[in-house]
Amino acid sequence: MKIGFIGLGNMGAPMAANLAKAGHDVTGFDTAGVSVDGVTPATSAVEAVTGADVVITMLPNGAILRAVASEVIPAMSAGAALVDCSTVDVDSARAVADEAEAAGLLAVDAPVSGGTGGATAGTLTFMAGGSDAAFAKAEPLFDIMGQKAVHCGAAGAGQAAKICNNMILGVTMIATCEAFALADKLGLDRQKMFDVVSTSSGYSWTMNAYCPAPGVGPQSPADNGYKPGFAAELMLKDLRLSQQAAESADADTPMGKVAAELYAQFVEGEDGKGMDFSAMLPRFEKRGRG
Ligand code: NAD
């Protein structure tokens, strides 16, 4: 396939490289002028999408996505697919899909989980929203860049799944960290805490697979000085997207709201920027109730 790839950052560059390695003809564009192995550089977004069967975007946010989409949609060939893999707000995902479909294109919102490690290894999970025809066109590319793709529903459904998942993740990480900090103050050994909770009803991915306590459980960013992993500021971005979606859908999400406030305080008012999102544990450790 002929593929245009826009946004060659930490995630986009290895994803584009994997498509090229698999034999696709990939032309890439990034405003930062990045070059990627096997990917033909373009001097503009329009140049990257001209003649492409599929255009993939991997951009920082919804405003940038909307701007790039408005620029490239008129230059895309009829019947081509616009596949956005960025994490953006549901409203932007739906607006871009509407604009693409009105121009005779297929559209998929397909945010990913798996981080830069998964992007490099080609083991991402894609959660996709769009028509059956659009998903079918993108699926062979998801198979190269990832290990699993779930077609979640119509336009916006991929972003909806992503932010609901990450709202659970943020809330659960906070709960796990505050429970460890309480256990410390009650004189409970962290290893014993892990042994009990990881096999009891308090178990979760954050406890069992990504334990925030150093030296306890499987290897995680806690064992590497809380170097990300999944940075606290990216968790904050996703929690804000979930609150924005909850506002627009009139959903009551009190735990998600508090989680967004706590990560905002941690990243913007304290020392959380650049730390893994599990560094909530040392944050709680230092604090009392006051
Ligand atoms: P990044 O900042 O490394 O990459 C974004 C790239 O987009 C940059 O290289 C930037 O120069 C480029 N860009 C910005 N505006 C542009 C424009 N108008 N035209 C062309 N290129 C432009 O970010 P990333 O870590 O690669 O993340 C990309 C997306 O993936 C984000 O939406 C993020 O939330 C999501 N995501 C990231 C991770 C992760 O672990 N990094 C995991 C899952 C999802």
Side-chain angles (χ1 to χ4, degrees):
M1 265 195 232
K2 193 166 165 12
I3 299 169
F5 206 116
I6 302 175
L8 302 166
N10 293 323
M11 295 291 291
M15 290 164 71
N18 283 337
L19 292 171
K21 226 182 290 165
H24 290 291
D25 173 6
V26 186
T27 302
F29 174 70
D30 191 297
T31 41
V34 188
S35 77
V36 177
D37 254 10
V39 175
T40 309
T43 53
S44 71
V46 166
E47 184 187 324
V49 307
T50 303
D53 303 299
V54 175
V55 171
I56 301 179
T57 48
M58 195 52 172
L59 295 163
N61 59 49
I64 293 175
L65 170 67
R66 284 181 195 238
V68 168
S70 294
E71 190 188 339
V72 301
I73 284 171
M76 286 174 64
S77 319
L82 178 59
V83 180
D84 175 48
C85 296
S86 331
T87 303
V88 303
D89 57 290
V90 176
D91 293 341
S92 291
R94 290 189 175 142
V96 165
D98 285 349
E99 195 178 340
E101 280 162 10
L105 304 173
L106 299 167
V108 188
D109 55 288
V112 302
S113 93
T116 52
T120 304
T123 56
L124 295 168
T125 295
F126 289 84
M127 34 220 121
S131 67
D132 289 344
F135 182 74
K137 183 138 188 170
E139 201 174 14
L141 305 183
F142 296 153
D143 290 343
I144 294 165
M145 297 183 285
Q147 61 185 357
K148 191 173 169 67
V150 180
H151 188 191
C152 299
Q159 298 296 347
K162 167 90 187 175
I163 58 174
C164 288
N165 180 75
N166 281 18
M167 186 171 81
I168 296 172
L169 179 62
V171 168
T172 319
M173 179 57 84
I174 290 169
T176 302
C177 292
E178 68 182 35
F180 262 119
L182 171 61
D184 288 347
K185 295 207 174 176
L186 297 176
L188 181 61
D189 178 70
R190 284 184 169 182
Q191 184 62 50
K192 302 293 179 202
M193 167 81 173
F194 177 82
D195 291 346
V196 171
V197 175
S198 64
T199 54
S200 299
S201 46
Y203 84 89
S204 64
W205 185 85
T206 58
M207 176 61 84
N208 292 39
Y210 203 93
C211 183
V216 177
Q219 275 286 318
S220 70
D223 300 306
N224 191 23
Y226 294 99
K227 194 167 160 281
F230 184 45
E233 57 268 29
L234 289 179
M235 174 49 81
L236 175 59
K237 172 189 170 182
D238 292 357
L239 286 167
R240 282 185 167 149
L241 289 176
S242 69
Q243 288 313 292
Q244 191 181 336
E247 282 283 329
S248 112
D250 189 30
D252 190 19
T253 55
M255 303 293 281
K257 180 166 183 281
V258 173
E261 286 164 4
L262 265 175
Y263 273 103
Q265 195 179 323
F266 185 44
V267 168
E268 289 165 0
E270 300 167 9
D271 56 357
K273 193 163 191 302
M275 304 282 276
D276 188 73
F277 82 121
S278 62
M280 271 287 164
L281 175 52
R283 175 190 183 275
F284 281 124
E285 224 177 277
K286 288 186 252 150
R287 301 168 64 93
R289 280 186 87 72

XYZ file of all heavy atoms in Angstrom, residues 1 10 200 248 287:
39
model
N 0.835 -1.204 0.000
C 0.000 0.000 0.000
C 0.869 1.253 0.000
O 1.976 1.239 0.525
C -0.837 0.023 1.292
C -2.211 -0.553 1.160
S -3.207 -0.067 2.602
C -3.822 -1.650 3.109
N 7.756 10.297 19.090
C 8.169 9.108 19.849
C 7.389 7.864 19.444
O 7.942 6.760 19.433
C 7.969 9.340 21.354
C 8.911 10.407 21.863
O 10.059 10.495 21.434
N 8.430 11.241 22.782
N -5.713 -11.025 46.533
C -7.002 -10.776 47.204
C -7.851 -9.847 46.343
O -7.439 -9.452 45.255
C -6.774 -10.151 48.585
O -6.038 -11.032 49.391
N -19.230 16.685 28.310
C -20.033 16.823 27.098
C -21.137 15.760 27.048
O -22.181 15.993 26.447
C -19.121 16.928 25.877
O -19.183 15.868 25.053
N 3.569 12.706 52.683
C 2.499 13.572 53.169
C 1.773 13.001 54.378
O 1.762 11.796 54.592
C 1.462 13.797 52.053
C 2.046 14.429 50.821
C 1.069 14.366 49.675
N -0.129 15.139 49.971
C -0.314 16.411 49.637
N 0.630 17.050 48.983
N -1.426 17.030 49.947
